[in-house]
Amino acid sequence: MNRKKTVPLESTPLVIVPTYNEAENIDGIARRILDTVPEAHLLVVDDASPDGTGDLVEAMAASNDRVHLLRRAGKLGLGSAYVTGFRWGLERGYGYLIEMDADGSHPADRLPAMIQAVATAAPSEHVMLAIGSRWVRGGKVVDWPKRREFLSRGANTYARIMLGLSVHDITAGFRVYRADAIARMDLDSIDSKGYCFQIDMTLRVDALGGRIVEVPITFRDRIYGVSKMSQSIIVEAMLKVTQWGIERRLHLKRR
Ligand SMILES: Nc1nc2c(ncn2[C@@H]2O[C@H](COP(=O)(O)OP(=O)(O)O)[C@@H](O)[C@H]2O)c(=O)[nH]1
Ligand SMILES: [Mg+2]
């Protein structure tokens, strides 16, 4: 069946959810997104998940014209999945491009507040990004061991000081961007992976002169499936933060 999809308005949010083996999670998260933000569309970028996540989304997209699927040939990484999704959204004229995990860690019920934070700001404030943040007042993680919380808070504090940005959760992957901000970025030059991708994107917003606001969220660990992140990705991100921080201090680059 080839249903005609609705054309987005310039204020339509596009929630981009990258997936790799999220068959147990994708139906629930898709329903929560579509119910919570009635004007939003959902784009799933699936990297040929062996567990059939792509087929589940294809079935959803066939009967719901707010759901879209991009299938890629193999596991190409989270950062490149988002870049592919951003391009898709820009080509179709969406107003807000949103990053969100499939695993239920990011609460869909905070999406309206995050979208509002960007959409209702006065133009003179230049708010380009709202981060769903664990590490501002009112934000929290409910089910992490103390050691993991310490690691994430520590990495974020280090990044805040090193980069000279007043962002408390720079590694967060729950984000609402103004599409016109992403349109001004050179997406071809992004090759950061994992947490580096989120930090890189934050620096790019800052380089555009954009303000970044943090909206508190309650983050939950995934219940189903396994995390694709590892400790080595955190170490890699901190090395990159050190390099970027030094470059910024020496004014070699704005990012
Ligand atoms: N398309 C795609 N999605 C990915 C890839 N790696 C991770 N993801 C998805 O990105 C989101 C975040 O990954 P996750 O493993 O939960 O990372 P964590 O939350 O940092 O533990 C989830 O929706 C994953 O399914 C990838 O290589 N390609
Ligand atoms: Mg996760």
Side-chain angles (χ1 to χ4, degrees):
M1 186 168 53
N2 203 354
R3 285 173 62 107
K4 194 164 174 347
K5 302 274 178 181
T6 46
V7 178
L9 302 172
E10 66 185 43
S11 59
T12 304
L14 178 68
V15 184
I16 305 168
V17 176
T19 53
Y20 190 76
N21 285 347
E22 302 287 3
E24 293 159 302
N25 295 315
I26 193 64
D27 282 328
I29 195 69
R31 191 172 24 82
R32 290 198 294 280
I33 292 166
L34 297 171
D35 288 352
T36 313
V37 192
E39 71 276 22
H41 285 198
L42 167 66
L43 172 66
V44 174
V45 184
D46 184 68
D47 278 3
S49 296
D51 74 350
T53 304
D55 296 338
L56 294 175
V57 179
E58 191 170 312
M60 243 185 272
S63 61
N64 187 335
D65 55 12
R66 293 165 60 202
V67 178
H68 312 269
L69 170 67
L70 272 180
R71 287 181 186 267
R72 304 198 302 170
K75 192 173 186 314
L76 298 170
L78 181 73
S80 89
Y82 275 127
V83 169
T84 302
F86 291 155
R87 286 211 174 91
W88 190 96
L90 289 175
E91 282 162 15
R92 285 159 185 81
Y94 287 90
Y96 303 96
L97 300 175
I98 301 176
E99 297 179 15
M100 188 167 174
D101 285 5
D103 59 6
S105 291
H106 299 150
D109 62 7
R110 297 303 283 152
L111 279 170
M114 291 166 64
I115 295 169
Q116 284 295 304
V118 178
T120 62
S124 59
E125 293 182 77
H126 301 293
V127 175
M128 293 182 190
L129 165 62
I131 296 179
S133 179
R134 298 161 290 189
W135 310 131
V136 289
R137 188 185 295 274
K140 56 178 175 298
V141 176
V142 286
D143 43 14
W144 272 5
K146 272 275 164 274
R147 198 183 59 84
R148 193 156 167 212
E149 174 164 344
F150 181 78
L151 198 67
S152 178
R153 279 183 183 275
N156 270 287
T157 303
Y158 179 69
R160 186 164 69 249
I161 294 166
M162 205 58 205
L163 300 172
L165 288 178
S166 60
V167 175
H168 292 77
D169 198 354
I170 200 167
T171 55
F174 191 26
R175 293 163 169 246
V176 176
Y177 297 90
R178 284 186 65 105
D180 54 10
I182 293 193
R184 289 167 60 194
M185 296 177 190
D186 174 17
L187 294 177
D188 286 334
S189 67
I190 301 180
D191 62 356
S192 303
K193 297 179 180 61
Y195 297 115
C196 283
F197 173 75
Q198 308 300 357
I199 301 167
D200 195 346
M201 287 296 298
T202 312
L203 290 171
R204 285 167 193 259
V205 169
D206 182 63
L208 293 175
R211 253 193 67 203
I212 298 156
V213 293
E214 290 184 271
V215 175
I217 64 155
T218 299
F219 181 102
R220 287 167 201 284
D221 227 349
R222 60 164 70 237
I223 298 171
Y224 303 110
V226 290
S227 169
K228 286 101 210 167
M229 294 296 177
S230 65
Q231 300 251 342
S232 68
I233 291 177
I234 298 183
V235 173
E236 186 197 329
M238 292 307 107
L239 289 174
K240 230 20 210 190
V241 161
T242 308
Q243 181 197 326
W244 284 337
I246 291 169
E247 283 173 2
R248 279 164 74 87
R249 265 150 230 262
L250 297 176
H251 301 288
L252 294 175
K253 273 187 195 167
R254 276 219 66 191
R255 71 169 188 88

